[in-house]
Structures are given as structure tokens and as C-alpha cells.
Amino acid sequence: MSEPTHRISRRTFVKVLVPAVGGLAVGGAAALTLISRETLRQLYRTRLEPSLESAPPGPITPDTLQTLRAFTEALLDEAITWSRYENFFR
């Protein structure tokens, strides 16, 4: 005697998935609007900043510099003076 298998169709899966994802997106957006920037800054200062201060600076590999450069160029989306940012990253 075999166990019955429970299967749902793709259509049923999508009917459940779309509203669930939409609800999560709306709920997440609502939560972010309720959290103030000052709250996020305070969270950063109390949780992340102390751990970053205790980390000693070290050498940066050429690959890391290349990645940081690509990210900076993509983020700023304008011509930049690379030596300024390279010194900052080092």
C-alpha cells in the first residue's frame, strides 16, 4: 500500500506565491518607512562600528582594488579621480 502523494499544479503554486511575495514586499516597505534614519544610524554605531574599529588595517590586493574601483565608478556614475579613491581605500 503506497502513501498518497500531494501535488499542486503550477497554476495553484503561482496563485499562492504571487500574493505571498506581494504581501512580503508591501510589509517590508512599510517596515522600512517606519524605521527612521536615526534608528538605523544608532544601530550601526552600537552593533557594527565597534567591530570595525577593532579590525587592524591590512594590505589590499590588486583584485580588491579593482573591485572597489568598479563599484565606485558604478555607484558614482561619473568620471572620478581614481588616485584619490585608491588612497582612501588603502
Side-chain angles (χ1 to χ4, degrees), residues 73-88:
E73 289 173 348
L75 184 66
L76 297 178
D77 195 28
E78 62 184 43
I80 61 171
T81 305
W82 173 238
S83 61
R84 174 182 173 206
Y85 286 94
E86 187 175 292
N87 290 334
F88 175 75

Side-chain angles (χ1 to χ4, degrees), residues 59-74:
I60 294 181
T61 65
D63 290 340
T64 303
L65 275 175
Q66 185 178 3
T67 302
L68 288 169
R69 181 179 185 168
F71 180 77
T72 303
E73 289 173 348

